[in-house]
Amino acid sequence: MLKKFLAGATTALLALGLVSLVAAPASAHTGDLDVTAVCNTQTHQYDFTAKLKIAQTSLNGSTHYKVGTSTFDHTPKQSDPTFSGAAIVSTNNPSTITLTTFSLPGSTTGYGPWVYAQTTFTDNYFVGSDGQLLQPLDGTCGDDTTKKITICHATASGSNPWVKQTPNVSSIIQGLGGHGSSGVNVDDIIPPFDYTQNGVVKHYDGNNWSAGGQQIWNNDCTQPGAPRGPTYTEAVCTATGQTGDATVTIPSGVTGAQYWIKSSNTGNTYATIAQGTTASFPAGTTVRVKVTPLSGYELSIKPVEFASHPFTNVASKCVQPVQPTVVQSTCTAPGEHGVPSYTIIATDHVTYKVGNSTVSGTKLVYGALPKTVTVTAVVSYGYILVGPSSFTLTFADPGDCLQDVSVTVGFENAICTAPSTSTDATYTLPDVKGVSYSVTINGVAADSSVGTHVVVPKNASIVVDVTADPGYRLTSPGHNTWSYTDPGACLVDAGVSTVPTFSQTACNVYVPGGITPAAYTLYAADHISYEVSTDNVTFAPKAVGTWNLDPGQHVWIHALADPGYILVGPGEWDFTSADLGVTCDYDATPATPAWVDAVCHDARPGHTHATYTVIAAEGVHYKVSTDLGATWTDATPGVVVKVAPDAVVWVQPIADPGYQLTDSSILKHEFVDPGNCELTIDYVQPTATDATCTEGDVTPGSYTLADVEHVTYNVRVNGVLTKNVAPGTYTADNGDHVVVTTVADKGWNFGDAGRTVKWIFDFVSDGLCAVSPVEATVTDQICTVGEFKQGVYTDGVVTIPSTTGVQYTLDGEDVDAGPHSVTPGDHIVAAIALENYKLADYTGPWTLTSKLAPVCGDLPSHPIVLPEIGDPQGCAATATFTLGNNLDVADAVIWTIDGQPANAGSHSIAVGTSVHVHAEPNGPVFGFTEDQQKDWTVAFTNAATCGDLKTLALTGGSLPTGLIGGGALLLVAGLSLLSVQMLRRRRDQV
């Protein structure tokens, strides 16, 4: 057990591990646990290692470890599941195993954490160990004050004011050796750097680390001056006819300088290249380098362009010798081997020599092996050797070339293969190349040829000597002996595996009244036969099986072994049968039949069947009679037999052969008739509903037949009868006369109403929804004064109401509910019932009049037009009259004849008839005078003689002189008026 040292500082609990090993004897101690720590100068941490010394072991075991804290806990006394690790197997030799390694910060002080180990052996012996550092840590592992820093140390020399030096960190930060601002040489140039002291990372800001100081420091502590030239490296041979690249290396640390490079294979154009760069070029390339100052710098030599440098291409002089091929000596036959050789590979400009002799082609190597041959390659004058100049060829010794041969001589004892039969004793000499045989049997030379040979006698002794032929080496035994064993007569044991069994005379338990005779049974056994005698004198063979005996008979039995077999075990038996002298009939007890009287059903009319069932009983059969025993028939037990509700049945039991009845009485049963079994049921009255209408949905008339068990319906519709109508709802048309008869099924009734009830329904509704149309409303045309004081006319409006089930028409066209613009005049609104509706209290159609609006605003000036009507002209049954105007503009006047639109021009009129003519100006382009006549009646009373001119009868208005007499005057006056002024009139609305 290690000593326990208490540590000053605590550390965190580290990971757990497992190490498996081969443990010491259970009585041995596992050894000491050593903990060490070293400072890692790369990571600046303490690297810990815990090792356990293991003594020589003989039992397997496993060691687990745990890293604790700096405070001692306890030495392990028993297995702790918090310990873990991985298995390591150890030998029986003493050893030291590494339990774990871990690291702690370089600032750690004290003795570090305790490490504990527990070892358990296969015999469950347990040993605990512990350990800690023996010397405390001082926490300075992270310090790097000894590392070197490159500085420019100031001198008193005018030509060389700074020199490069590398003092350590400690001397810089302490001002020792004249470095640093606290020293005497405050002109030292020192870069800033970080360092660790006493485990703490610190920073040094530098000294004289200005732009100028950095320039001097970067220039190897010299002031910038003349630029340095590049370094050229020629290409070297790499293989026959091949070279690597030549290189140009640009110097580094030249402050304020920019280098440029160009080559013959890039068009001789300069390109910048960084300082310190090494550029590669193919052999034979010519390169040139120059340098220029950067902005703010000046070169001591201006400009600087270094001389061109042509690289030499020696590829054609590069020669690489080829290593000769080697053929080793190999065994060619048992005990023999071939001669090794080497082959020179011809190479241009190369001569190969062995010693002072030039060699070529293939050369045999004679003499004892192993041996070596050195081949030297000599290149021709002016060529460059690439690779090795000599090759050492090693020729191995193939050995004695003896071929190993192994022989296994086969010896087979004679064995029994069948009763009284055995195989031969043999020996077998295998056909193996490289050996010969010598054989003696009982000291006498025997057949030594390859193959299998019989040995006589079967218990002889044999010696077989095997000798290897020249060139062969026998690896198996050469002297082989064998003593054969004679199997003897080869008799085989045979026994009776199942001895004969015997049964005495007895009543047959399976056959009533029957007797089972005494018997014996002979069982088959391999290679065994039997002989039997009834007087123990004369025996006869008996086959395997069961054989009956007469009452009082005695039998003797012998078992016999087949030839080649010997009987083992019992082989003789005898037995005497008994004589019963008693009856073996069985008692039989008749069973009472199952009598079932007819009874009324609970839930349906009628009654159950009257039945009887004969019950089976062992040793009994039955006969049955239903006519007072006049006739009897066999009865089948278990079969249910139906009889009349008031029947009388007799059942007689009879004993079967081998049985005797315990009761032979005849069984009788009188069945009770249940009488009438009708049931009463309640009927459900059918329901009927006339056709109805709800919001346009028509429900037709219907009648419903309820679904009542044991009830059917007969329905007569308008005199047509349908029977057995299923329950449900059926539609009926308006005017249908329906008679429903409810009928109870057979065996059921409706009480006092009997088995039928009748119902009558008359359907009188068409089912349409009655709706009262609402009269539409109308507004007159209105005139309002517009923005420019002109009259603006707005049409009148017919407002169609919204009435469910009604479609309205306006002037014969279907229209939707709502306002509709109309021209001045009369308009017809009518109502039409929609599907599933009918009109009620309808007073239409309605004539609605929208009046023309009075003129308002300033009237625009338009041409005045005067309508003209010519009198009828004709002397036949029809005549023609003309419609026109004073302007001779066809569409200046809008004409209607009897309310129908008419164009200007000629129109026919029949004799004795008249027509109503109406004229309106085609505004707003044309207008009438305010007192212009607009309506005329044109009549054609009598046809005149052709050539006579009749006067037109005009009514409904007056003209100053009439169109015939004064038309010309009106036309002149109208044209004059048109030329003087424009009549102001209203503009009709479109």
Side-chain angles (χ1 to χ4, degrees):
M1 184 66 63
L2 297 180
K3 295 180 180 180
K4 301 165 181 59
F5 295 91
L6 297 178
T10 61
T11 56
L13 182 64
L14 299 180
L16 305 179
L18 164 70
V19 177
S20 178
L21 55 118
V22 179
S27 60
H29 194 283
T30 57
D32 293 330
L33 199 162
D34 294 331
V35 179
T36 60
V38 296
C39 178
N40 188 324
T41 59
Q42 299 297 320
T43 63
H44 303 299
Q45 290 185 324
Y46 287 111
D47 291 342
F48 282 73
T49 301
K51 296 183 178 181
L52 183 65
K53 295 180 180 179
I54 302 297
Q56 184 169 351
T57 60
S58 60
L59 293 177
N60 289 332
S62 62
T63 294
H64 301 251
Y65 72 87
K66 181 172 73 173
V67 178
T69 66
S70 60
T71 301
F72 179 75
D73 188 356
H74 66 276
T75 301
K77 301 298 184 182
Q78 60 184 4
S79 179
D80 186 342
T82 64
F83 285 49
S84 62
I88 299 176
V89 178
S90 177
T91 64
N92 291 333
N93 297 322
S95 62
T96 298
I97 62 173
T98 299
L99 296 177
T100 183
T101 60
F102 56 91
S103 299
L104 292 179
S107 59
T108 302
T109 60
Y111 293 93
W114 283 91
V115 180
Y116 307 95
Q118 60 183 31
T119 302
T120 304
F121 298 97
T122 54
D123 62 355
N124 293 324
Y125 184 79
F126 179 88
V127 177
S129 300
D130 54 65
Q132 192 184 32
L133 291 177
L134 298 179
Q135 297 296 329
L137 303 175
D138 60 7
T140 62
C141 176
D143 287 6
D144 59 356
T145 56
T146 58
K147 68 179 180 181
K148 303 293 185 179
I149 303 297
T150 300
I151 71 170
C152 294
H153 175 59
T155 69
S157 172
S159 61
N160 190 22
W162 290 278
V163 294
K164 183 186 294 185
Q165 289 185 355
T166 55
N168 60 34
V169 171
S170 179
S171 64
I172 295 175
I173 62 177
Q174 295 176 10
L176 300 178
H179 303 296
S181 59
S182 60
V184 294
N185 287 337
V186 295
D187 293 331
D188 286 356
I189 300 173
I190 304 174
F193 58 85
D194 292 332
Y195 63 96
T196 302
Q197 186 178 44
N198 296 326
V200 178
V201 177
K202 298 180 180 180
H203 179 73
Y204 179 76
D205 291 334
N207 188 60
N208 294 321
W209 196 247
S210 62
Q214 293 180 42
Q215 192 177 87
I216 295 171
W217 189 87
N218 288 327
N219 201 38
D220 287 338
C221 297
T222 60
Q223 289 180 312
R228 298 189 298 275
T231 302
Y232 302 100
T233 303
E234 294 290 341
V236 297
C237 291
T238 57
T240 299
Q242 298 178 14
T243 66
D245 286 339
T247 62
V248 178
T249 301
I250 304 302
S252 59
V254 182
T255 303
Q258 173 64 61
Y259 282 84
W260 303 74
I261 192 169
K262 67 179 180 178
S263 66
S264 57
N265 61 348
T266 58
N268 283 319
T269 300
Y270 275 114
T272 59
I273 184 169
Q275 293 186 32
T277 301
T278 297
S280 299
F281 296 93
T285 302
T286 298
V287 298
R288 191 165 191 178
V289 177
K290 73 175 182 178
V291 62
T292 59
L294 296 175
S295 177
Y297 289 87
E298 184 176 294
L299 300 178
S300 59
I301 302 176
K302 303 178 183 178
V304 175
E305 187 170 17
F306 302 100
S308 296
H309 183 84
F311 289 110
T312 304
N313 188 353
V314 297
S316 62
K317 300 298 183 180
C318 297
V319 178
Q320 182 174 9
V322 180
Q323 180 169 340
T325 60
V326 172
V327 176
Q328 296 286 353
S329 173
T330 58
C331 294
T332 57
E336 299 178 2
H337 62 78
V339 178
S341 65
Y342 62 90
T343 300
I344 301 298
I345 307 301
T347 308
D348 292 342
H349 312 297
V350 178
T351 300
Y352 296 93
K353 291 187 176 183
V354 175
N356 293 324
S357 302
T358 300
V359 292
S360 63
T362 299
K363 300 295 182 182
L364 298 178
V365 179
Y366 296 99
L369 297 176
K371 69 184 303 182
T372 59
V373 175
T374 301
V375 179
T376 302
V378 180
V379 298
S380 302
Y381 177 77
Y383 288 86
I384 302 171
L385 177 67
V386 182
S389 61
S390 65
F391 306 96
T392 299
L393 311 180
T394 300
F395 298 92
D397 185 356
D400 57 14
C401 289
L402 293 179
Q403 182 174 332
D404 289 342
V405 62
S406 177
V407 175
T408 300
V409 179
F411 301 100
E412 294 290 340
N413 281 323
I415 59 173
C416 292
T417 57
S420 302
T421 304
S422 63
T423 62
D424 292 325
T426 63
Y427 64 95
T428 300
L429 305 179
D431 187 5
V432 178
K433 185 177 181 180
V435 299
S436 57
Y437 301 98
S438 174
V439 182
T440 60
I441 298 177
N442 291 339
V444 179
D447 192 344
S448 59
S449 61
V450 171
T452 299
H453 309 283
V454 176
V455 177
V456 179
K458 293 182 178 181
N459 59 350
S461 295
I462 186 172
V463 176
V464 178
D465 289 318
V466 183
T467 305
D469 295 339
Y472 293 87
R473 178 172 45 236
L474 186 64
T475 59
S476 58
H479 186 68
N480 301 273
T481 62
W482 185 266
S483 294
Y484 293 95
T485 301
D486 192 337
C490 292
L491 294 179
V492 179
D493 290 345
V496 178
S497 56
T498 303
V499 300
T501 57
F502 303 91
S503 60
Q504 266 302 358
T505 306
C507 287
N508 191 334
V509 297
Y510 301 106
V511 180
I515 298 176
T516 301
Y520 63 93
T521 301
L522 304 179
Y523 298 93
D526 291 341
H527 311 297
I528 296 295
S529 61
Y530 298 94
E531 62 179 9
V532 177
S533 174
T534 57
D535 58 7
N536 202 22
V537 175
T538 303
F539 286 84
K542 201 68 171 180
V544 170
T546 298
W547 306 95
N548 293 333
L549 295 172
D550 296 332
Q553 188 175 19
H554 194 158
V555 64
W556 287 264
I557 303 171
H558 290 169
L560 306 175
D562 291 345
Y565 295 86
I566 184 170
L567 181 66
V568 294
E572 294 184 1
W573 304 269
D574 72 292
F575 175 76
T576 301
S577 66
D579 188 356
L580 289 180
V582 297
T583 181
C584 289
D585 286 346
Y586 283 18
D587 287 340
T589 300
T592 301
W595 312 103
V596 179
D597 290 331
V599 296
C600 290
H601 294 299
D602 291 335
R604 60 187 177 89
H607 54 74
T608 62
H609 291 289
T611 66
Y612 70 89
T613 304
V614 174
I615 307 303
E618 183 180 358
V620 181
H621 64 278
Y622 302 90
K623 287 185 178 294
V624 64
S625 175
T626 58
D627 55 3
L628 302 178
T631 57
W632 295 88
T633 59
D634 291 332
T636 303
V639 175
V640 178
V641 180
K642 298 177 182 178
V643 296
D646 56 352
V648 178
V649 177
W650 289 264
V651 176
Q652 179 181 16
I654 302 172
D656 292 338
Y659 290 88
Q660 54 187 4
L661 295 176
T662 59
D663 184 359
S664 59
S665 301
I666 295 177
L667 304 173
K668 174 185 175 183
H669 182 75
E670 295 181 3
F671 290 91
V672 179
D673 189 346
N676 184 14
C677 291
E678 286 190 343
L679 295 180
T680 300
I681 187 174
D682 293 331
Y683 58 80
V684 176
Q685 178 178 341
T687 60
T689 304
D690 234 336
T692 60
C693 178
T694 304
E695 296 182 356
D697 291 332
V698 175
T699 303
S702 65
Y703 58 92
T704 300
L705 309 179
D707 187 1
V708 180
E709 190 175 8
H710 310 302
V711 173
T712 59
Y713 298 92
N714 296 334
V715 179
R716 187 182 300 274
V717 179
N718 300 328
V720 179
L721 176 64
T722 303
K723 294 185 176 181
N724 295 325
V725 177
T729 298
Y730 299 88
T731 59
D733 296 331
N734 184 21
D736 280 354
H737 178 76
V738 179
V739 178
V740 178
T741 302
T742 304
V743 181
D745 292 345
K746 182 179 180 180
W748 302 82
N749 58 53
F750 299 128
D752 294 341
R755 290 187 60 218
T756 61
V757 180
K758 185 177 294 185
W759 317 90
I760 299 174
F761 305 102
D762 287 305
F763 296 88
V764 296
S765 173
D766 59 9
L768 298 179
C769 294
V771 61
S772 297
V774 178
E775 184 175 350
T777 60
V778 64
T779 62
D780 295 330
Q781 184 188 55
I782 61 175
C783 178
T784 57
V785 178
E787 181 180 0
F788 302 103
K789 297 183 180 181
Q790 79 280 12
V792 179
Y793 293 88
T794 302
D795 285 339
V797 175
V798 171
T799 300
I800 302 299
S802 177
T803 306
T804 301
V806 176
Q807 172 64 59
Y808 289 91
T809 64
L810 176 59
D811 293 334
E813 298 292 334
D814 289 348
V815 291
D816 296 330
H820 298 271
S821 297
V822 295
T823 59
D826 294 338
H827 299 278
I828 305 300
V829 176
I832 302 172
L834 295 177
E835 185 179 2
N836 296 337
Y837 289 88
K838 60 184 178 181
L839 300 181
D841 302 326
Y842 177 46
T843 61
W846 302 282
T847 300
L848 305 178
T849 302
S850 178
K851 296 179 180 180
L852 186 70
V855 176
C856 66
D858 293 337
L859 296 177
S861 296
H862 293 291
I864 295 175
V865 61
L866 300 178
E868 295 179 347
I869 303 177
D871 62 333
Q873 300 292 324
C875 53
T878 61
T880 61
F881 65 94
T882 60
L883 301 178
N885 59 74
N886 62 325
L887 301 181
D888 286 334
V889 179
D891 59 353
V893 176
I894 299 174
W895 297 94
T896 61
I897 299 175
D898 288 340
Q900 298 298 319
N903 295 324
S906 296
H907 296 273
S908 297
I909 184 171
V911 66
T913 63
S914 64
V915 294
H916 177 259
V917 177
H918 179 79
E920 287 287 345
N922 190 3
V925 178
F926 301 95
F928 288 172
T929 61
E930 292 185 3
D931 56 354
Q932 172 66 54
Q933 180 180 343
K934 297 182 179 179
D935 294 282
W936 297 268
T937 299
V938 178
F940 183 36
T941 56
N942 295 305
T945 303
C946 289
D948 293 342
L949 178 63
K950 296 297 181 180
T951 301
L952 173 63
L954 297 176
T955 63
S958 62
L959 293 174
T961 58
L963 287 175
I964 299 176
L969 178 61
L970 288 176
L971 176 61
V972 172
L975 292 174
S976 300
L977 180 61
L978 180 62
S979 63
V980 173
Q981 65 177 6
M982 301 293 289
L983 179 66
R984 300 177 63 85
R985 62 182 296 276
R986 72 176 179 83
R987 178 163 54 94
D988 289 339
Q989 305 303 308
V990 179

